[in-house]
Amino acid sequence: MTGKAYKNFVGIDIGKFELVAAVHGRKQTETFENNEKGWGLFHKAWKLELKEALVVIETTGGHELGLILFLRKLKIFVHRANTRHVKNFIRSLGQIAKTDALDAQGLARYGAERHESLKLFVVAKDSLKLYQLAQRRRDLKKILVQEKNRVQGPRCDGVVKSSCEGMIRFLEGELKEINSHMQNLIDRDPVLKDRQKVLESVEGIGPITARDLICFMPELGSLNHKQVASLAGLAPHANESGMFKGQRRVKGGRSEVRTALFMAAMAARNSNSRFKIFYEKLVASGKKPMVALTALMRKLIVVANARLKELVGVSPAFSI
């Protein structure tokens, strides 16, 4: 369906427990529970509004994925909006007040005015399971780092040390099992399997980083180099005003992607590859090691994006 064919634009503000829906051009909004029962009631009550509509849902830490996948199964067109873009859009309207109802109306208006440039959410099999496993792996990894730090502490001995070591073994086992589940899901999907193979062909990107990029940055291969750097939070932003010219800094983007790329950049920096040469040239030119490493992270994701573009017939797992 082309943008001109949409009859309605529906904005949905998602919370952990509730969702608020609005239609562009109407002031009334309606609230439903953010669970399967609520989604069913929403679809039943809004069946006419959802027909040939574009639904715009803001990214909210994964709380939106269940509803998005529910709507896509019903062949309803959905755009998963970038939070920063939507907030800037609403601010540009001069709106200062913030409520769930106002946010839903803002999302609906955002869809109405920007629909021609908004990408639709495309679902791959098991995409929600993969995303949930990746998030769980990330949480367990944080706890593992904390336990490893504790066991090295000066006051960690006896029962406390034994407890920490037992927790470390348990967490490592859980991570191994989750990695296995993620790999099994990818292996049974030819598209995702091909994407992983291409990502692993980039020096520094191993199986774990490849899986994280598949889950947290499924748009890879469908963006240009500037878009992919910005989405990863690795694009340098100018800091200038009048005669003042401050240092450019990276900001925004997806923290999960940056974490994955940091480890990949560390590996690439120590490898016998062009990325190592790139890093060493930056340091030799006077760049600080961390600045050079950030540039290397940006180069890695740009190269990965370019290689996925060359993979004929491969589409994103789902679009944001």
Side-chain angles (χ1 to χ4, degrees):
M1 178 183 292
T2 63
K4 292 181 180 179
Y6 294 127
K7 290 186 177 179
N8 283 316
F9 297 94
V10 178
I12 302 178
D13 183 74
I14 295 281
K16 187 175 182 179
F17 303 109
E18 293 183 334
L19 63 92
V20 180
V23 179
H24 179 59
R26 299 185 196 171
K27 290 185 178 181
Q28 296 83 4
T29 62
E30 196 167 353
T31 302
F32 301 88
E33 292 181 3
N34 188 19
N35 53 37
E36 290 188 15
K37 180 182 177 181
W39 306 335
L41 291 173
F42 164 64
H43 178 253
K44 184 177 180 180
W46 286 56
K47 199 166 186 178
L48 291 177
E49 289 85 351
L50 292 171
K51 188 177 181 181
E52 298 182 27
L54 173 65
V55 179
V56 180
I57 301 177
E58 191 176 5
T59 305
T60 54
H63 296 307
E64 75 285 356
L65 278 175
L67 174 61
I68 290 175
L69 295 176
F70 172 82
L71 293 174
R72 287 301 297 126
K73 284 181 181 178
L74 297 172
K75 301 187 183 304
I76 295 170
F77 299 100
V78 179
H79 170 71
R80 190 186 189 197
N82 182 294
T83 301
R84 189 151 47 96
H85 293 174
V86 173
K87 284 183 178 178
N88 290 336
F89 172 79
I90 292 175
R91 285 172 184 164
S92 72
L93 302 175
Q95 180 176 307
I96 299 175
K98 186 184 187 313
T99 66
D100 293 342
L102 288 174
D103 285 346
Q105 291 168 350
L107 287 165
R109 183 169 177 178
Y110 178 79
E113 296 189 12
R114 304 288 178 87
H115 62 266
E116 292 184 358
S117 62
L118 300 182
K119 290 187 177 181
L120 297 179
F121 189 103
V122 182
V123 181
K125 187 179 179 181
D126 296 323
S127 57
L128 180 57
K129 290 181 181 178
L130 264 176
Y131 182 84
Q132 291 172 334
L133 285 170
Q135 287 285 19
R136 182 57 179 164
R137 181 188 175 279
R138 195 163 175 255
D139 293 339
L140 291 177
K141 189 69 177 175
K142 288 180 181 178
I143 301 172
L144 179 61
V145 170
Q146 292 172 350
E147 290 298 309
K148 286 184 174 180
N149 288 337
R150 290 189 186 102
V151 82
Q152 294 173 4
R155 298 181 182 178
C156 186
D157 54 15
V159 176
V160 174
K161 184 175 182 180
S162 177
S163 174
C164 288
E165 289 174 343
M167 183 62 74
I168 289 171
R169 288 192 296 271
F170 171 76
L171 290 169
E172 288 176 339
E174 287 292 299
L175 285 169
K176 185 177 181 180
E177 187 173 349
I178 285 178
N179 283 330
S180 178
H181 280 307
M182 290 179 69
Q183 192 59 56
N184 288 337
L185 289 174
I186 290 173
D187 286 343
R188 69 190 195 187
D189 188 319
V191 172
L192 296 181
K193 192 173 181 179
D194 285 344
R195 290 175 68 80
Q196 183 183 25
K197 186 177 179 181
V198 171
L199 288 170
E200 289 183 28
S201 71
V202 180
E203 297 89 336
I205 296 181
I208 293 177
T209 301
R211 287 194 290 266
D212 281 348
L213 291 178
I214 286 172
C215 294
F216 296 126
M217 203 172 191
E219 302 91 340
L220 273 176
S222 64
L223 307 171
N224 60 44
H225 68 282
K226 290 184 178 180
Q227 290 173 326
V228 76
S230 179
L231 196 58
L234 295 169
H237 296 276
N239 181 24
E240 301 175 1
S241 179
M243 300 296 292
F244 173 77
K245 294 187 181 297
Q247 184 178 2
R248 294 193 172 205
R249 298 181 182 276
V250 297
K251 57 183 177 180
R254 298 177 188 169
S255 60
E256 305 96 335
V257 175
R258 283 197 304 280
T259 300
L261 288 173
F262 179 80
M263 301 307 297
M266 293 284 283
R269 183 191 63 177
N270 298 326
S271 67
N272 186 20
S273 68
R274 57 174 172 155
F275 295 116
K276 180 180 181 180
I277 297 171
F278 173 78
Y279 172 83
E280 290 178 343
K281 280 185 177 180
L282 289 176
V283 174
S285 68
K287 299 292 184 183
K288 295 179 181 178
M290 195 61 211
V291 173
L293 194 64
T294 302
L296 180 53
M297 292 164 64
R298 182 166 59 250
K299 190 172 184 66
L300 279 171
I301 198 66
V302 168
V303 170
N305 182 65
R307 289 194 184 177
L308 281 174
K309 277 188 176 182
E310 297 172 357
L311 191 60
V312 179
V314 173
S315 59
F318 50 83
S319 299
I320 297 178

